[in-house]
Every structure is written in C-alpha cells, then in structure tokens.
Amino acid sequence: MKYLIFVFAVLLSAKTTLAQKLYTKNGSISIFSSTKMEDIKADNNQVLCVLNTQTGELQFSLLNKGFHFEKALMEEHFNENYIESNKFPKSTFKGTVADISKVNFASDGTYPITVKGDLTMHGVTKITTASGNIIVKDGKATAASKFTAKLADYNISIPGAVKNNISESIEITVNCNLDQKM
Amino acid sequence: MLLNKIFYTSLFFSVTCCSAVAQDTTDIMRLLENEVADRTDYTTATFKTTRLVNGHTVENVGKGALDVKISHRFGKVNGGGYELFGLDNASMRMGFEYGITNTLMAGVGRSTFQKTYDAFFKLKVLRQSKGNRNMPVTLSYVPTIALKTLKFEDETRKNYFTSRLFFTHQLIIGRKFSEGTSLQLMPTYTHRNLVQLASDPNDLLAIGIGGRQKISKRVSLNFEYYYQLPDYKMLNTTNSLSVGFDIETGGHVFQLHFTNSQAMSERGFVTETTGEWSKGDIFFGFNISRVFTIGKKH
C-alpha cells in the first residue's frame, strides 16, 4: 500500500514537471521591410504564444491591429490595404518544435530549434519552416526566431506607386518570453 | 483505513491532474484568445482623409502628422468652350493641418476666394468601438473661424475689423457601417457679424449629410449635402451638393469632385452657395492631401 502511494506521488510530480504548457500573453513579434527608399518597422507586443514542453507543440496568435508603426498613416494603410484587418483580424501559427527533446528546460542555455507548421496570414495558410532558439534563463524559457515571408505568397499585393517603398519579402522577428505556466 | 483514504485521495489528485494536463495546446490558445477578445477595438479609417469634399469628415490626422492640403475649384462648367468649361478660372486654398494628439488637431488655411483666412480645431469626443467598450458612432466637434480680407464694399462708412469675422460650430456624427460604407451627419451653426441686408439673419443653421462607398481598396465615391433650415438661411442661396472620388496612392490622397459651391471654408459653402446644379452651375475641383510625419507618434 505504501508502495502504491509512493508510485502515485511520483506520477503526480512527474506529470507536473514534464507535461508543462508554457504560455504568454505579451509576446512580441516585429515585422520589418527594408528598401533603398525606406525602412518600415512595426511591433506587436500582445502576441499569444503557447508551448507544450513535452510534445513540442507551438502556437502563436496575434491581432493584426496590434501592430504599431512609427507613422500613423503607415498603420492605417497596413490595416486597410495590405493585411485587411477587418476581414482577417488574426494571424496565427500552429506547428511543432522538431527537436524539443534536446531542450532542457531545467538548465540555463540557448537551444537551437527548428519549427515547422502552418502560418496563416491574410486568410492564406502556408507550411513554413523557421529556425530559432529556445533560451532558458533562471528557469524561464524564451522562444526566439527570425525568418522571412513573401508577401505574394499570402496574396498581399503592393501597388506600383509604392513598389519601391515596400519590400517583397518581410522579415519577421519573434521574441516571446513564456513567463506563465499551466 | 487511513492509508486507504490517502490512497484514494492521491488517486483522485492524480486523475484530476492528468485531466488538466490533457488540456491541449489549442484549448489553451482558445482560452487566451477569448480573454483578449474583450479588449476595446477602435474603428479606424472611417474616411480616407479629413475632408469629404468641401467639409470635414470625422477623421483626424494622427499625432505628429502634418497634412498639407492644396485645393482648387475651377470656374462654372456652364461657362462654355470659351472658358474651357471653367478651367480658365480657379480659386485655390492652401491648408496646413497638424495632429496635436490622436484626438485633437488644428489647421489653418488661406483661400483666394474672397481672400479668406480660416483656422479650426477638430476634437474627437467619442470614438466608434466594439469589444470591452461599445460605441456605435464617432463624434467630432469642429469650431472654425474665418476672416474675409476682401476690401469693404463701402469704404466711406465706419467699418469694424469684427465685421470680417465668421464663426462656425459643427458637430459630426459618423459611423463606419462596413468596410466600404460610412455615413455621417453634420449639424452646423454659423454666426456672421455683418450681414448684407437687415432682413438677413446673423445666425444660420444647416444640417449636412455625407458618406462614402468604396469602389476598390484605394478608391471611394463620396457625396456631401448641406440642407439649410429655411428660417435660418440667407435669401437666394442654395443648398450645397457635391459628389466626388477619393483616390489614395500611398502618401497622397487625391479628391476629384463636382460641386455647386465655389468656397472652401464652412461659412462659404454651407451658407453662401448660389450655384444650381440644374442650371449647370457646377464647379469642378480637386483636393490634394500629402501627409508628412513631423513629431513623434508616441
């Protein structure tokens, strides 16, 4: 009997340490377009991100209206003409970290990872692969990555008048500090 | 017995714990998304720019942005081929409009028509929004002052500087009904210090209605109509009716329109329009708006 209790106690603790979901409501994702004419950058600091540390399932979700630009007019055009926030309010990613087993969430360090999954923007879903890092520091994990997306792949077209101002491929920088546990 | 109790309790905890763990990543994401959905979502871009045709829209320029507006109204289309259907004559207004905050802007302008200076504030009192805070309309208040510097008609009598002044107070109640359709109502009060005839009222009232329908992402069709209340209008004036297009090309908005009003400031087109559409008293005109970012947005 005592043995059984011990087994359950171990099971209990094992469950809580291994099968953890880490998440945040204030992750940040930036988009960056660089051309000879101008650089355009926008930040969204209200990104939702959930990571299952056991299976490697990784999800992001953000509201497109949460991107803030340096110029008010850029923000308006982004929402009105390009990402069409009223029609497509959210952008999401649903994927898996391929090498999650190599990440030791208990010990500090930078663990290179590869993520593969469905990136949905502007109503178009594309299978995307990105490399990045999971950085563990003081017991807290941060998911970081930098990759590019082609506007044409997501049916976002740029009119001739601003062709020189907006790059065809956009650099996306992810930095989500997964400070919450469930 | 006691051991048994502990056993069952720990079994119970183990099971509940497992069921909590079984909650999958998608469920958690859905939970988080629902939490976020409560945030207030403010409606943006009800109109493409701060003017519909002649008059104001509910839109402001953003904080730190300077909107330079150059507007022309050509002569009457019924001037015939000799006047190249009005293109031989033009009156022009140049305006500079700046966003002090995201809800307050100020502007000044000079129009060649009757050598008029104008200045205004525009304050967003309410903003259309949904989510946590639900508001069906955007409400703006626009006080305008106009200074007519044309020489006095009768220079022999005693003229006062204040006789050159006109005051307009306007409320604009606007709503973006859908991505393409926006409408607004504009109750407008104008005070004139000097009137031409003793029978002319000093205080004039009008109610405007205007709207836009997008034709494509960057082009919209606009209309604007100001109805003057019969007891609060000047004799022989007509109601201002205008139709036009907005064409947006990145940093510029081009507005091309036909209107029976020649003036470009409120007291002019709302209260002093004399043109009649049915007689061909139609002025072709355009506004060009170019926004420069001067101050910091945040």
Side-chain angles (χ1 to χ4, degrees), chain B residues 180-252:
Chain B
T181 314
S182 303
L183 283 176
Q184 63 174 34
L185 285 173
M186 304 84 87
T188 307
Y189 160 80
T190 302
H191 176 81
R192 315 160 58 84
N193 277 340
L194 181 68
V195 290
Q196 209 161 14
L197 307 169
S199 60
D200 277 344
N202 285 82
D203 297 301
L204 308 164
L205 288 173
I207 178 139
I209 182 167
R212 73 124 185 235
Q213 177 61 48
K214 270 195 187 178
I215 298 166
S216 75
K217 256 189 250 175
R218 293 178 176 80
V219 178
S220 76
L221 178 65
N222 299 349
F223 82 96
E224 184 182 70
Y225 178 68
Y226 281 90
Y227 172 76
Q228 299 188 88
L229 271 61
D231 293 340
Y232 299 95
K233 69 184 278 262
M234 291 190 295
L235 280 176
N236 304 321
T237 58
T238 55
N239 294 330
S240 173
L241 172 68
S242 319
V243 288
F245 290 97
D246 278 3
I247 303 163
E248 181 231 302
T249 64
H252 292 86

Side-chain angles (χ1 to χ4, degrees), chain A residues 21 25 61 69 75 77 86, chain B residues 23 33 35 179 250 297:
Chain A
K21 312 291 193 322
K25 286 192 272 184
S61 174
F69 291 72
E75 200 165 307
H77 291 162
N86 282 325
Chain B
Q23 197 174 30
E33 281 178 345
E35 270 177 53
E179 189 50 34
K297 203 186 118 208

Side-chain angles (χ1 to χ4, degrees), chain A residues 81-95:
Chain A
N81 302 338
Y82 302 110
I83 205 83
E84 298 182 83
S85 297
N86 282 325
K87 247 192 259 175
F88 312 109
K90 282 192 293 189
S91 295
T92 59
F93 176 82
K94 264 185 197 186

Side-chain angles (χ1 to χ4, degrees), chain A residues 64-145:
Chain A
N64 293 321
K65 274 197 175 174
F67 276 105
H68 295 300
F69 291 72
E70 184 198 343
K71 296 180 180 176
L73 207 58
M74 282 178 177
E75 200 165 307
E76 186 179 318
H77 291 162
F78 170 77
N79 287 308
E80 279 276 287
N81 302 338
Y82 302 110
I83 205 83
E84 298 182 83
S85 297
N86 282 325
K87 247 192 259 175
F88 312 109
K90 282 192 293 189
S91 295
T92 59
F93 176 82
K94 264 185 197 186
T96 323
V97 180
D99 19 29
I100 193 74
S101 55
K102 290 179 195 154
V103 184
N104 182 354
F105 287 91
S107 105
D108 285 8
T110 300
Y111 304 91
I113 50 160
T114 308
V115 181
K116 193 179 173 190
D118 294 336
L119 179 61
T120 306
M121 286 195 290
H122 196 237
V124 181
T125 303
K126 289 258 163 195
I127 294 175
T128 305
T129 309
S131 58
N133 291 307
I134 286 181
I135 302 144
V136 180
K137 206 186 165 208
D138 304 327
K140 292 267 162 74
T142 299
S145 174

Side-chain angles (χ1 to χ4, degrees), chain A residues 39-77:
Chain A
D39 288 346
I40 301 170
K41 188 176 180 286
D43 301 309
N44 188 326
N45 295 318
Q46 295 182 319
V47 179
L48 308 175
C49 174
V50 182
L51 170 69
N52 184 328
T53 58
Q54 199 173 42
T55 62
E57 279 175 274
L58 179 66
Q59 292 197 17
F60 292 92
S61 174
L62 60 80
L63 290 172
N64 293 321
K65 274 197 175 174
F67 276 105
H68 295 300
F69 291 72
E70 184 198 343
K71 296 180 180 176
L73 207 58
M74 282 178 177
E75 200 165 307
E76 186 179 318
H77 291 162

